[in-house]
Amino acid sequence: MPAESILLRFMEGEGTADLEAYLRVEGYAAARHALTALTPEEVIEIVDRSGLRGKGGAGFPTARKWKFVPKDAPLKYVVVNGDEAEPCTFKDHMLLERAPHLLLEGIIIAAYAVGAHKAYVYVRREGYLARERLRQAVAAAYARGFLGRKIFGTGMDLEVVVHSGAGAYIAGEETALLESLEGRRAMPRPRPPFPAVFGLYGRPTVVNNVETLSHLPAVIRLGPEGYRALGPPALFSVSGHVRTPGVYELPLGTPMRQVIAAAGGLRPGRRFKAAFPGGSSSALLTAEHLDVPMDYEPLRAVGSMLGSASLIVMDDTTCIVRVVARAVAFYKEESCGKCTPCREGTYWLSQIFDRILEGRGRAEDLELLTHISRGMSNGACFCLLGESVPPGLEASLRHFRHEYEYHIRTGRCDVEAALAAAVAPGA
Ligand code: SF4
């Protein structure tokens, strides 16, 4: 954990979902300071110098996104992306459940910076507790004058609406999320124009993720240099074959080996095999990458990405073919069907994986998997959902080709065979 925890301290123990608990840890002090002592331009400048980047996956600099919003537009919106449907990504839902006021304070700061007076928080339907805690927090904040008319006694009005999504992965894509908010099926829009210029109901809209906004009170409280000195900090969702899966706050750039250690290390007696550093849409890495810093550029340099900082750890009991097949099946289910490479590509990849796992693999299947994957790459798909499939698949073929070949040659899994052989003598 960094010298000072800036998010987890609001989530530990009983959390700070209760307004009184949040106020006891200086809750809403940063938003009050921003609105009463800083101009919107000064807030944007502080956020810019802090280096804060979007935590939803793309890693786009937050202040730069805000600067695209036209200053003189009469009506603007802040939209919070709380969909978080990437497999094994759960930090945003934990923030909503345990520290919803931290998000509301971040929303106030962001709305003030860009000149918006209405914000929508989009939370997927399955997040019942997250949504209810957030709704209670919104009601409590209204009752204390932290939301509504003339907040903190200033001229700033802000309305916050909690919206329940229907539960579709594609709704996490920011333009599909806007479509869903407007009452249509979640399908991505062509870009440009970007939401900062033409967003919700055609108005300039800032779309930020839950964790991104939750950093803002600390950015204001500590100042850009103080915030940067902490790492900068980030939340990592760590899952898979570690002893204590959960959410950990560590400086960006912490080596993967140390993130795994923070989660209690591997299960006893097991060896590290592979990991997705940024959810199932990132290219999987192997033991040779254990010392790669978990940050945007270093992970890109080894052909993967930080994404939503959701580290999925796999030990030597894992069949990589089955893992990738599961991810492909997920993307096939969640493909919105708008464009052919994603709709057809995920379908045919799934068919081939089913065939291999059922022991009916063909010699030409690996070439076919590569061919379809290439057809979905390099901008062929309309949005990032389709583009999410090739990195993991191609990395698995690069690092674990022998596992695919064994499945196809024998109709069995070499990992399962080895595990069965290991337990057989005493069984
Ligand atoms: S890549 Fe195409 S089909 Fe897939 S989710 Fe995006 S728009 Fe829909």
Side-chain angles (χ1 to χ4, degrees), residues 170 188 334-339 342-343 381-386:
I170 190 61
E334 296 292 335
S335 169
C336 80
K338 182 174 180 134
C339 63
C342 171
R343 183 187 64 239
C381 293
F382 190 79
C383 83
L384 285 177
L385 187 148

Side-chain angles (χ1 to χ4, degrees), residues 104-173:
L104 292 180
E105 189 170 359
I107 292 173
I108 295 169
I109 295 167
Y112 177 66
V114 301
H117 299 287
K118 188 156 186 176
Y120 292 86
V121 189
Y122 189 103
V123 185
R124 66 193 279 109
R125 191 174 61 88
E126 295 94 321
Y128 296 105
L129 182 61
R131 204 177 50 244
E132 280 323 299
R133 290 259 174 92
L134 180 62
R135 284 200 170 128
Q136 287 164 13
V138 168
Y142 267 109
R144 289 292 276 269
F146 300 154
L147 293 176
R149 301 290 310 278
K150 302 197 181 311
I151 59 181
F152 305 122
T154 69
M156 168 87 177
D157 300 339
L158 180 62
E159 189 183 344
V160 172
V161 176
V162 179
H163 180 90
S164 179
Y169 178 73
I170 190 61
E173 196 281 338

Side-chain angles (χ1 to χ4, degrees), residues 312-388:
I312 306 172
V313 179
M314 292 166 274
D315 67 21
D316 54 346
T317 62
T318 310
C319 168
I320 294 294
V321 183
R322 197 170 291 282
V323 166
V324 178
R326 188 71 199 84
V328 167
F330 171 79
Y331 291 111
K332 183 199 78 168
E333 283 300 314
E334 296 292 335
S335 169
C336 80
K338 182 174 180 134
C339 63
T340 309
C342 171
R343 183 187 64 239
E344 298 297 314
T346 52
Y347 172 80
W348 285 109
L349 287 175
S350 262
Q351 295 286 307
I352 298 166
F353 270 107
D354 285 350
R355 186 158 80 210
I356 294 173
L357 288 173
E358 287 164 10
R360 299 179 288 109
R362 301 173 189 164
E364 67 273 20
D365 277 348
L366 298 191
E367 202 183 325
L368 204 48
L369 287 175
T370 306
H371 179 71
I372 297 171
S373 178
R374 299 262 158 88
M376 298 172 66
S377 307
N378 301 321
C381 293
F382 190 79
C383 83
L384 285 177
L385 187 148
E387 300 269 334
S388 296

